[in-house]
Amino acid sequence: MIDSLKHLPRSVGSADALAQQFTDLAPPLTDRQAAIEAARCLYCYDAPCTRICPSDIDVASFIRNIHDHNINGAAVGILKQNILGGSCARVCPTEILCEDACVRNHDAEGQPVKIGLLQRHALDHAKFDAHPFQRAPATGKIIAVVGAGPAGLSCAHRLAMLGNDVVIFESREKPGGLNEYGIAKYKLTGSFAQDEVEFLLSIGGIEVRHGQTLGDNLTLRELHAQYDAVFLSLGLNACRKLGLTGEDAPGLMAAVDYIAALRQAGDLSALPVPRRAIVIGAGNTAIDMAVQIKRMGAEDVTLVYRRGFESMSATGHEQDIAKANHVRMKTWAAPLEVLLDDDGRVRGMRFEETRIDGGRLLGTGAFIEIAADAVFKAIGQSLDTAGLSDPMAQQLERSGDKLHVDAHFRTALPGIYAGGDCVSPGQDLTVEAVQHGKLAAHTIHNDIQTKAGAAWPT
């Protein structure tokens, strides 16, 4: 998809200079800083930070372990609940979760304990001679997991811990899903995503098969016939459409496609970079795209959203990152028309200014044009239904554009489970996907042990 930008010039920066733009956004704590920060924790009984954590990490306990210089103990406590705790420490919006709930916000200091950085410190400095969790006795069961993203990996790891064997079917060349292909390069730097997957797989009992795509060379019926259970971790791989003429013109593409290319590029200077760019959206992906294209050397980057700042799904922290990187943010403007040059390439966009009236978003009749050499869509992802075209998959119930599951991640088809971004519960956060996979694994294990999942549909 990055071919849409092939007419644009390459980055003017050298490979080394560009690499420096994608070092850690938040530098790690030193040992001394971690000790001081851990000492600030009040180790609350019934700690609100723990209660709000989507993956049930006992926050106060792991911070106490850091304070007591028991780094391995802190890491094990985190990984027991969140096997991808290293990446979540870097990308989880702690400012609206555990750190927002910290009681230190309400004392004289008025600053929360830096829980995310402490979690990262524990996992970055833990030293294990072997995988910290042992597999239970073999059950003789084999489960298929479709998708090697956070939910699928988490599910596979917990199933392996419980004594099951797992085969993960992944369409891409690398496992990791969003962590590998969709997170800003300055959040998960270097080979961290693959190193974390390698650590997860080292528990044993998990095989990853690449180039396997549901609806292409894989069907749900085949999987159900060959395995004791199936867990669908499909993610959201289809980019939503603007619904405008010219949406397929050279110079307009999905932000996630450029982010994936950027994360996989061995030489950043080989990537095309527009001089002027527009990013349409209001979430973290929009922020990630805008900031990264600015760091790649774009002179003028404008993020456009149809509502106000307070309605953006990107947190205030993310918005501050954009502003600090000189991204211009234009609110109350809805996309109206893709402007093309004489060669049919993007030269900008026309927007209609908007307002709220009676709770409804309305156009004002005033228009603005923004010049751009490239436009990046970050208006949300949806479930790619192409992989769910076989007769069995079509029996899966939907909630809007996602799969419907019960409270235990069972679909309407016995023996088939689903979790992560492709199901309706949650906020599409990595940490929630990890939790879905973990909880689904326990449901799957219990069902196949008690034969509750044996009544397969025909």
Side-chain angles (χ1 to χ4, degrees), residues 24-27 88-97 99-100 111-112 114 116-117 120 184 186-187 282-284 287-288 291 295 303 309-310 312-325 327 329:
D24 268 321
L25 177 68
C88 287
R90 289 162 165 81
V91 306
C92 189
T94 55
E95 65 273 10
I96 62 171
L97 293 170
E99 292 181 13
D100 184 56
Q111 293 290 327
K114 297 175 182 176
L117 286 173
R120 174 180 172 176
Y186 53 75
K187 292 180 180 176
N284 289 346
I287 299 289
D288 286 355
V291 171
R295 291 187 173 203
L303 187 149
F309 287 111
E310 70 285 351
M312 293 181 71
S313 57
T315 65
H317 172 69
E318 292 291 329
Q319 294 178 39
D320 288 343
I321 293 172
K323 294 171 185 176
N325 282 271
V327 171
M329 303 177 76

Side-chain angles (χ1 to χ4, degrees), residues 311-374:
S311 298
M312 293 181 71
S313 57
T315 65
H317 172 69
E318 292 291 329
Q319 294 178 39
D320 288 343
I321 293 172
K323 294 171 185 176
N325 282 271
H326 308 291
V327 171
R328 187 161 51 124
M329 303 177 76
K330 171 63 179 173
T331 55
W332 300 109
L336 189 66
E337 182 183 356
V338 181
L339 303 177
L340 305 178
D341 64 16
D342 293 340
D343 296 320
R345 296 170 176 169
V346 168
R347 66 173 179 84
M349 285 198 73
R350 178 177 290 119
F351 299 86
E352 182 174 12
E353 295 185 349
T354 57
R355 61 187 174 88
I356 295 291
D357 188 354
R360 296 175 57 203
L361 184 70
L362 301 175
T364 65
F367 305 95
I368 59 171
E369 291 187 5
I370 301 176
D373 309 300

Side-chain angles (χ1 to χ4, degrees), residues 55-69:
S55 60
D56 297 329
I57 292 173
D58 189 338
V59 176
S61 177
F62 90 71
I63 294 179
R64 183 178 287 277
N65 273 321
I66 293 175
H67 180 265
D68 294 341
H69 308 291

